[in-house]
Amino acid sequence: MPLVPSSDAPTIPLRLLEPEGLPRWLEGQEPHVAAWVAAMGFEAGLGEVLALPGPDGSLAGALLGWGTAGKRARDRFHLAAGAAHLPAGRYALDAAGLEIDAGLEALGWLLGEYRFTRYRAAQASRIRELVCPEGVDAARVQRAAEAAALAQDLINTPARDLGPEALEAAFADLGRAHGAEVRVVRGMAALREGGFPLIAAVGAAAAEAPRLLDMVWGREGAPRVTLVGKGVCFDTGGLNIKPGASMGLMKKDMGGAATVLGLAQMIMAAGLDLRLRVLVPAVENSISGPAMRPGDILRSRKGVSVEVNNTDAEGRLVLADALALADEEAPGLIVSLATLTGAARVAMGPDVPPFFTDDEALAADLAAAAVRVADPLWRLPFWAPYEGLIEPGIADLDNAPSGGMAGAITAGLFLRRFVERAGSYLHADIYGWTPQAKPARPKGAAFQAARAIFEILETRA
């Protein structure tokens, strides 16, 4: 991995400089260095990179512009932005005189090195290693980067190679690696007999059998936390079929499951003192004879009836049965993560997932953690006056209220109906995708909300 412990091996100095600090730095340099910087027009703008040649023409160091505080506030992971333009080598960070979060910037360096290469021929790549800055917990940074890579690999994989069966295999591999107990309820008959009729209904039309994946890890008497991730491996929309433009990214509709697995890996690898349970309903929302139909009324595990007014609002259905199961043992906290609504993206864009909770202390802690670890989240309300929108009259609940307003909130309210006994409930409506490459975030799958949630779980362990 590109983050390495301190060593006596030769390193390349990487100096961070703000524009106002550049003249002072140049005063202490050899004349040829000052001449080179001037000739190349380096002004220490944010993300600006300049390699420094030695007297023999070798790479003697590099400068990375740190810009102004106002510009830095517009984005995150600025070290990663510059690192992408550096020559190969092992770098030692020099940020003397600057206030930086070295751990966060080191993480950004690692996140920026992620590549999804499963489907292309091996290509020579420039390996840029960073010596772990002093005072940074390298193992912690590494765990976060590895968890992100696990989730990103799963989300980036096309549905042909990552259906419910392959998602189950990844789930089981993670459980085995950490000594967790893994149980699977697989197939229509087993799901119906086991009390998961909504999961069965959503997955009924697919070639691969729907299933519920269940993992338990940790000390029996430890605080109980249950993670629930939406595992819709591909979403055609069902009989309310999506147009082609909307279906193009539906391989990422299991992004909630992938993110939950990444978060679970962080928890288990760190050895948090939690009784962790992970639930993933793994299905495909396909079209064939047994597909659920608009107007169908389904009975949930909880006994609540649901009118299916849009088969493309399937994520909340599979999550409902999983949440009802999670709630039965009354854990201290249930967390659901899902690529659930387009409404969340319209309101917040791809970078900022909304989260919902009635627990004020949890909301405050999560909002602070999101800022601290540069994993953006923003709270939206479980707005009780909208409860009537999800009550169709003919059944207890409507999976797709008409009108199109407050779609992220009504989806959250729907899910909340299935959690009554847990100490707290937290739901995040993630996007799971980076449309255009950004510092530390290559175009493609995105690992959202998990690092911020890990921060609050760590304090509860």
Side-chain angles (χ1 to χ4, degrees):
M1 295 293 287
L3 184 66
V4 296
S6 298
S7 70
D8 295 329
T11 58
I12 303 165
L14 177 58
R15 185 68 166 93
L16 304 189
L17 289 170
E18 291 180 318
E20 56 270 27
L22 178 60
R24 292 193 301 273
W25 182 82
L26 287 172
E27 288 174 2
Q29 304 304 310
E30 296 291 333
H32 74 275
V33 174
W36 175 256
V37 171
M40 298 304 294
F42 180 81
E43 297 179 342
L46 186 60
E48 193 178 356
V49 171
L50 179 65
L52 300 176
D56 60 354
S58 63
L59 179 61
L63 304 180
L64 174 56
W66 210 238
T68 61
K71 289 187 176 180
R72 290 198 299 273
R74 295 183 181 181
D75 210 337
R76 45 196 161 127
F77 301 124
H78 305 296
L79 182 60
H85 304 289
L86 290 171
R90 175 173 292 185
Y91 291 86
L93 188 62
D94 178 2
L98 300 176
E99 291 186 7
I100 72 166
D101 186 330
L104 193 60
E105 295 299 340
L107 174 62
W109 184 293
L110 266 63
L111 295 176
E113 292 294 308
Y114 170 81
R115 300 291 184 273
F116 184 62
T117 59
R118 178 171 174 174
Y119 298 98
R120 39 181 198 172
Q123 298 175 339
S125 61
R126 293 184 290 179
I127 299 175
R128 307 176 191 89
E129 294 180 326
L130 178 67
V131 174
C132 186
E134 184 177 353
V136 171
D137 185 341
R140 182 186 185 88
V141 172
Q142 203 79 46
R143 285 194 299 267
E146 290 172 355
L150 168 65
Q152 288 170 286
D153 280 350
L154 292 171
I155 296 170
N156 279 325
T157 301
R160 176 176 289 274
D161 294 326
L162 194 85
E165 186 174 330
L167 184 56
E168 177 187 330
F171 188 94
D173 286 346
L174 179 63
R176 278 193 297 269
H178 294 279
E181 176 187 347
V182 175
R183 174 175 171 265
V184 179
V185 182
R186 185 187 304 105
M188 299 296 294
L191 287 168
R192 287 170 176 154
E193 292 170 9
F196 304 105
L198 296 182
I199 298 174
V202 172
E208 290 191 19
R211 60 206 73 196
L212 177 69
L213 314 178
D214 188 349
M215 179 191 304
V216 177
W217 172 89
R219 182 173 62 86
E220 178 63 40
R224 291 179 176 268
V225 173
T226 300
L227 310 178
V228 181
K230 175 185 170 185
V232 178
C233 295
F234 194 81
D235 181 19
T236 65
L239 292 176
N240 291 115
I241 191 168
K242 293 176 182 287
S246 299
M247 209 184 299
L249 274 181
M250 284 301 99
K251 68 175 184 179
K252 77 171 184 66
D253 213 21
M254 39 62 66
T259 304
V260 156
L261 291 188
L263 176 55
Q265 177 170 294
M266 291 175 70
I267 292 167
M268 294 187 289
L272 298 191
D273 186 24
L274 295 173
R275 181 68 168 176
L276 176 67
R277 190 176 193 184
V278 183
L279 298 171
V280 170
V283 301
E284 277 195 53
N285 188 22
S286 295
I287 301 172
S288 70
M292 60 180 177
R293 297 163 293 270
D296 281 354
I297 296 179
L298 307 174
R299 186 71 60 176
S300 68
R301 177 181 184 84
K302 191 178 178 63
V304 173
S305 62
V306 181
E307 182 177 10
V308 180
N309 280 314
N310 191 326
T311 62
D312 194 21
E314 84 300 331
R316 67 201 70 184
L317 298 178
V318 297
L319 287 171
D321 272 354
L323 287 169
L325 173 63
D327 195 52
E328 288 167 10
E329 60 179 15
L333 174 64
I334 295 176
V335 177
S336 60
L337 295 173
T339 53
L340 201 61
T341 69
R345 250 44 66 200
V346 171
M348 311 293 284
D351 291 353
V352 188
F355 75 91
F356 301 80
T357 183
D358 288 320
D359 185 329
E360 295 298 326
L362 176 64
D365 289 346
L366 183 59
V371 172
R372 189 167 60 249
V373 300
D375 192 11
L377 291 165
W378 195 265
R379 189 183 185 187
L380 289 183
F382 279 132
W383 187 245
Y386 291 162
E387 289 279 4
L389 297 177
I390 60 172
E391 296 169 347
I394 192 172
D396 296 316
L397 290 175
D398 182 342
N399 84 318
S402 61
M405 292 190 179
I409 295 175
T410 56
L413 291 172
F414 182 99
L415 297 181
R416 190 177 66 166
R417 292 288 186 99
F418 296 87
V419 179
E420 293 181 336
R421 301 177 62 197
S424 297
Y425 174 48
L426 169 67
H427 166 61
D429 192 337
I430 64 174
Y431 188 50
W433 196 258
T434 301
Q436 290 89 32
K438 297 181 179 181
R441 288 153 289 163
K443 181 179 178 179
F447 187 53
Q448 295 179 310
R451 292 189 295 105
I453 294 170
F454 177 85
E455 289 282 308
I456 61 170
L457 294 181
E458 193 172 33
T459 64
R460 294 178 175 223

